[in-house]
C-alpha cells in the first residue's frame, strides 16, 4: 500500500466466510493495551478450569479494562492470572506461538505478532476454541462496547453502523519518544465479516500512529475484497 504515515506496521486478516487469511510482516511488536483481550481470555480460561463464573470484582475490572482501557483494572487482573507466566500458558492453549508476557508486571510490554493476534481473535470469534461459548460471548460483548474516542483503528475498514468489536492499544515509549499503536477486532465490510489485527511502532505521535493503523486496516480489507471479486 502507499503510505503517507511514519512508523512500521504488520497486519493479519481472516475472511470468516471463506476461511482465507493473509498477513504482512512477521516481526514482534509491543502489545500496549491490546493485551487486555489476552488478559481477559486468560482469566476466563482460569475460571473455566476452576468450574466457576467470574466474581463480581473480576467482572467489574474486566468491564472497565476492555470498555475504557483502564490500566488499574488490567494490573489487578494481571495479578489474578499469574502475570506473564499465566498469560503465556493461556495464550499457548489458544494457539498463539510468538507471544510473550511482559516481565516485572509490565503487561503493556508483552511482545506479539500480527499473526498471533489473529489467532487470538479466532479463539474469541471462531469455533473449536479452548474458550467456551459463554466466555467467547462475554469477550465479544465487551469489545462491542468500547467507549467513544477509543473506537478508532480497524473500525476504519468497516461499513458505517456495522457494529465493530475491537480493542486498541497505544503507548509512548520513554526510551525512544515514539509511539506503539495497535488495533485488533472484528469488522464487517461489504457484507463480509473479517478478523483484523494491525500492530505498529515508531510513529512520532499517537495521531500518526492511528492514521497508519487505519490505513493498513482499510488496505487489507480492500485487498481481500479485490481478491474475492
Amino acid at each position: 500500500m502507499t503510505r503517507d504515515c511514519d512508523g512500521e506496521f504488520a497486519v493479519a486478516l481472516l475472511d470468516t466466510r471463506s476461511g482465507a487469511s493473509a498477513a504482512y510482516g512477521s516481526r514482534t511488536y509491543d502489545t500496549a493495551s491490546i493485551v487486555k483481550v489476552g488478559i481477559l481470555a486468560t482469566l476466563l480460561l482460569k475460571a473455566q478450569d476452576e468450574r466457576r463464573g467470574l466474581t463480581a470484582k473480576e467482572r467489574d475490572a474486566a468491564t472497565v479494562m476492555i470498555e475504557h482501557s483502564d490500566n488499574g483494572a488490567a494490573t489487578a487482573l494481571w495479578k489474578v492470572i499469574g502475570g506473564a507466566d499465566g498469560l503465556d500458558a493461556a495464550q499457548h492453549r489458544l494457539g498463539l506461538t510468538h507471544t510473550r508476557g511482559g516481565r516485572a508486571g509490565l503487561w503493556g510490554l508483552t511482545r506479539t505478532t500480527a499473526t498471533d493476534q489473529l489467532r487470538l481473535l479466532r479463539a474469541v470469534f471462531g469455533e473449536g476454541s479452548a474458550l467456551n461459548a459463554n466466555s467467547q460471548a462475554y469477550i465479544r460483548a465487551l469489545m462491542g462496547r468500547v467507549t467513544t474516542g477509543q473506537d478508532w483503528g480497524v473500525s476504519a475498514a468497516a461499513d458505517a453502523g456495522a457494529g465493530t468489536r475491537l480493542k486498541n492499544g497505544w503507548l509512548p515509549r520513554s526510551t525512544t519518544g515514539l509511539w506503539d499503536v495497535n488495533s485488533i477486532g472484528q469488522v464487517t465490510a461489504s457484507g463480509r465479516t473479517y478478523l483484523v489485527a494491525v500492530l505498529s511502532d515508531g510513529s512520532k505521535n499517537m495521531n500518526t500512529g492511528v492514521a497508519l493503523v487505519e490505513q493498513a486496516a482499510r488496505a487489507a480489507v480492500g485487498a481481500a475484497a479485490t481478491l474475492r471479486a
Side-chain angles (χ1 to χ4, degrees):
M1 77 178 182
T2 300
R3 287 205 287 140
D4 50 18
C5 309
D6 56 335
E8 299 298 325
F9 76 96
V11 58
L13 173 145
L14 171 73
D15 181 329
T16 62
R17 184 186 301 178
S18 69
S21 63
Y24 169 84
S26 59
R27 55 162 284 220
T28 60
Y29 291 80
D30 299 326
T31 57
S33 284
I34 61 169
V35 75
K36 292 168 181 173
V37 177
I39 292 172
L40 179 53
T42 302
L43 176 67
L44 289 164
L45 283 177
K46 183 176 186 294
Q48 287 178 203
D49 292 345
E50 295 170 356
R51 299 182 181 276
R52 65 173 180 88
L54 298 187
T55 67
K57 186 175 181 179
E58 288 169 343
R59 283 187 172 274
D60 287 346
T63 297
V64 295
M65 178 178 72
I66 300 298
E67 294 183 10
H68 299 279
S69 205
D70 187 271
N71 291 337
T75 297
L77 292 180
W78 184 254
K79 294 175 182 176
V80 172
I81 67 170
D85 290 341
L87 180 82
D88 290 350
Q91 301 293 274
H92 179 74
R93 289 174 62 183
L94 296 173
L96 283 67
T97 57
H98 292 86
T99 298
R100 297 293 178 270
R103 301 294 153 175
L106 300 176
W107 45 261
L109 297 185
T110 296
R111 299 286 290 179
T112 193
T113 63
T115 300
D116 252 13
Q117 289 305 295
L118 186 61
R119 292 185 179 111
L120 177 60
L121 291 172
R122 292 181 75 164
V124 172
F125 291 95
E127 298 178 353
S129 174
L131 292 165
N132 64 33
N134 288 338
S135 294
Q136 288 180 310
Y138 183 64
I139 300 174
R140 293 173 193 170
L142 295 183
M143 291 177 71
R145 297 198 296 263
V146 168
T147 190
T148 301
Q150 295 184 15
D151 53 357
W152 45 266
V154 296
S155 55
D159 296 335
T164 299
R165 298 178 175 93
L166 56 72
K167 182 70 191 81
N168 296 325
W170 57 99
L171 177 68
R173 294 305 314 274
S174 58
T175 53
T176 64
L178 301 175
W179 283 71
D180 301 329
V181 181
N182 307 318
S183 184
I184 62 172
Q186 180 195 61
V187 303
T188 300
S190 301
R192 306 275 287 215
T193 302
Y194 301 93
L195 304 180
V196 188
V198 186
L199 309 180
S200 79
D201 62 17
S203 291
K204 63 184 179 182
N205 57 51
M206 182 173 171
N207 288 340
T208 58
V210 170
L212 174 59
V213 165
E214 293 188 337
Q215 191 173 354
R218 285 192 296 264
V221 171
T226 299
L227 291 174
R228 194 181 70 243

